[in-house]
């Protein structure tokens, strides 16, 4: 029952990037994605793949199949947009340009490599962070509850260290983009798996469709309140407090949702569909935003943030429904049929 949550987090990132409405919710949302990934990947490894060589190999291959096909499809769309209007693309995002050399192409296509001035999918940095922790999670880091607890304690220590020694001018680099700073989020997600097996006090309260909706509305409400109260450019210390409060809140909601069920088939399908939309939304919002801005400027249409935002989201939904989601399903089906259903 995490599809709606993933969709909310993805839309929050889009709002953060494409409007002037909020200066905080993008930071909250990405860490929410990392916490959820930490929980889900730990759950998959513990319950399905069991940390043997075969299991680890299959897990890593499936992560590659999950991440890269849609990512490459999005790169193709981005290249088309940049080709049609390179000036507008770079105006919308300074890194939304053609790679200048072979190393930049490699960096864009495979996510690995030196820092590039060309980012065909600007949020791609987070995929590399995700993949890094996928590997760590599969390599016995989450095999035992004790290891998860030690990882969490290590992450707490590194978080205090980074906050204490990082200059305020460099906080976004070391407390957000640096993969080490994301250790706390992924370790919290892994810890949720441990706690969820032991605690069921709230499970009988939060059951059914309305509970899922309420829990996700709490996330939206907190994002709205935080947008009103906190701004890292005005008061960084207050923002940092809200940043870690947000992580705690999302962790608690994921903990509750981990054992929340509903018998409403329509809601289940809707939740699953929203979850499928979240990845294309996250990948495509910058190139599609560039394309929409170019179209609006050429047609002399009014350039209102909310209108542009809604058109971008609707456009990505249409692209997803008719291309990316069927493509992902086909790749997954062919891959699993060929390698895992013999």
């Amino acid at each position: 029952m995490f599809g709606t949550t993933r969709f909310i987090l993805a839309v929050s990132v889009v709002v953060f990037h494409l409007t002037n409405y909020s200066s905080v919710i993008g930071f909250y949302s990405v860490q929410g994605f990392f916490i959820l990934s930490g929980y889900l990947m730990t759950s998959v490894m513990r319950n399905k793949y069991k940390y043997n060589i075969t299991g680890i190999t299959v897990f890593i291959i499936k992560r590659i199949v999950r991440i890269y096909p849609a990512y490459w499809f999005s790169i193709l769309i981005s290249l088309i947009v940049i080709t049609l209007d390179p000036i507008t693309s770079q105006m919308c995002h300074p890194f939304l340009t053609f790679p200048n050399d072979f190393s930049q192409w490699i960096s864009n296509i495979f996510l690995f490599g030196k820092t590039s001035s060309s980012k065909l999918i600007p949020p791609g940095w987070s995929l590399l962070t995700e993949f890094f922790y996928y590997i760590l999670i599969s390599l016995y880091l989450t095999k035992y509850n004790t290891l998860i607890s030690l990882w969490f304690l290590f992450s707490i220590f590194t978080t205090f260290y980074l906050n204490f020694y990082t200059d305020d001018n460099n906080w976004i680099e070391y407390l957000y983009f640096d993969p080490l700073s994301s250790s706390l989020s992924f370790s919290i997600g892994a810890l949720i798996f441990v706690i969820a097996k032991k605690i069921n006090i709230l499970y009988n309260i939060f059951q059914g469709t309305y509970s899922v909706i309420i829990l996700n509305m709490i996330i939206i409400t907190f994002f709205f309140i935080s947008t009103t109260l906190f701004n890292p450019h005005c008061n960084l210390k207050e923002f940092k407090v809200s940043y870690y409060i947000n992580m705690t809140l999302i962790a608690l909601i994921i903990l509750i949702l981990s054992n929340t069920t509903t018998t409403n088939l329509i809601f289940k399908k809707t939740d699953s569909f929203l979850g499928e939309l979240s990845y294309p939304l996250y990948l495509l919002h910058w190139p599609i935003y560039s394309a929409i801005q170019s179209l609006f400027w050429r047609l002399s249409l009014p350039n209102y943030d909310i209108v542009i935002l809604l058109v971008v989201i609707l456009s990505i939904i249409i692209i997803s429904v008719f291309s990316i989601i069927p493509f992902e399903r086909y790749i997954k089906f062919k891959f699993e049929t060929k390698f895992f259903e013999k």
Side-chain angles (χ1 to χ4, degrees):
M1 300 306 299
F2 293 114
T4 305
T5 306
R6 290 167 56 205
F7 182 78
I8 290 171
L9 295 176
V11 170
S12 297
V13 171
V14 176
V15 171
F16 172 71
H17 283 158
L18 304 188
T19 74
N20 295 318
Y21 172 69
S22 175
S23 60
V24 298
I25 60 173
F27 301 115
Y28 297 164
S29 299
V30 169
Q31 297 308 316
F33 272 123
F34 289 166
I35 293 171
L36 184 55
S37 290
Y39 166 73
L40 291 174
M41 296 306 103
T42 300
S43 178
V44 167
M45 283 304 301
R46 291 280 287 265
N47 294 331
K48 188 173 183 179
Y49 295 119
K50 307 301 182 183
Y51 300 90
N52 54 49
I53 297 300
T54 301
I56 293 171
T57 302
V58 172
F59 173 81
I60 296 297
I61 292 174
K62 281 196 170 185
R63 293 309 97 206
I64 292 172
V65 171
R66 174 68 181 94
I67 289 174
Y68 279 101
Y71 174 72
W72 289 332
F73 197 102
S74 299
I75 281 181
L76 178 61
I77 293 174
S78 185
L79 287 170
I80 293 172
V81 170
I82 295 171
T83 300
L84 292 174
D85 193 342
I87 296 175
T88 301
S89 297
Q90 194 164 17
M91 287 177 61
C92 291
H93 195 292
F95 290 163
L96 204 57
T97 63
F98 280 112
N100 293 321
D101 53 39
F102 180 74
S103 65
Q104 289 191 0
W105 279 104
I106 293 298
S107 178
N108 273 283
I109 293 172
F110 297 107
L111 296 170
F112 297 95
K114 69 177 184 179
T115 302
S116 173
S117 59
S118 166
K119 298 185 187 299
L120 297 173
I121 304 296
W125 68 270
S126 65
L127 303 182
L128 183 57
T129 299
E130 290 248 10
F131 198 74
F132 172 74
Y133 282 100
Y134 290 166
I135 293 173
L136 288 183
I137 286 171
S138 69
L139 296 178
Y140 302 100
L141 184 59
T142 55
K143 184 174 183 179
Y144 303 107
N145 292 351
T146 302
L147 285 176
I148 292 175
S149 299
L150 290 174
W151 179 23
F152 174 70
L153 292 174
F154 168 80
S155 300
I156 292 288
F157 172 79
T158 56
T159 298
F160 276 109
Y161 176 85
L162 290 171
N163 274 280
F164 186 79
Y165 285 102
T166 299
D167 183 87
D168 285 354
N169 294 324
N170 298 315
W171 73 270
I172 192 170
E173 182 67 32
Y174 294 102
L175 297 176
Y176 180 67
F177 287 119
D178 192 326
L180 182 61
S181 68
S182 300
S183 178
L184 180 61
S185 299
F186 282 95
S187 67
I188 288 173
L191 193 62
I192 289 172
F193 174 83
V194 176
I195 297 173
K197 293 290 186 179
K198 300 179 181 296
I199 299 177
N200 58 6
I201 297 174
L202 298 175
Y203 291 165
N204 292 329
I205 300 174
F206 294 98
Q207 291 295 330
T209 303
Y210 290 112
S211 293
V212 177
I213 294 172
I214 290 170
L215 289 167
N216 283 291
M217 286 300 298
I218 291 173
I219 295 176
I220 295 174
T221 302
F222 182 79
F223 283 2
F224 177 79
I225 294 172
S226 298
T227 293
T228 306
L229 297 179
F230 304 110
N231 187 326
H233 306 295
C234 297
N235 192 318
L236 184 58
K237 289 183 178 179
E238 287 185 358
F239 164 73
K240 286 181 180 179
V241 172
S242 74
Y243 183 67
Y244 294 112
I245 290 175
N246 159 76
M247 290 171 63
T248 305
L249 175 66
I250 290 182
L252 179 60
I253 289 174
I254 291 173
L255 172 64
I256 298 170
L257 283 173
S258 67
N259 203 43
T260 301
T261 59
T262 177
T263 57
N264 189 321
L265 294 179
I266 295 177
F267 183 81
K268 283 184 177 180
K269 290 183 178 180
T270 303
D271 182 76
S272 177
F273 176 65
L274 291 176
E276 288 184 297
L277 287 175
S278 62
Y279 191 38
L281 272 172
Y282 187 76
L283 293 175
L284 279 174
H285 62 274
W286 275 118
I288 297 303
Y289 172 70
S290 172
I292 298 301
Q293 283 284 21
S294 178
L295 179 64
F296 271 51
W297 287 337
R298 291 174 187 275
L299 298 178
S300 300
L301 297 174
N303 191 348
Y304 299 116
D305 275 358
I306 186 63
V307 175
I308 295 291
L309 177 67
L310 292 175
V311 173
V312 167
I313 292 175
L314 179 60
S315 299
I316 296 174
I317 289 174
I318 293 172
I319 293 170
S320 300
V321 169
F322 291 102
S323 59
I324 294 182
I325 291 177
F327 175 66
E328 283 189 300
R329 290 175 178 174
Y330 174 79
I331 292 293
K332 181 181 179 182
F333 171 77
K334 294 297 289 185
F335 179 80
E336 293 189 350
T337 300
K338 184 173 182 179
F339 292 101
F340 302 112
E341 295 184 3
K342 295 180 179 181

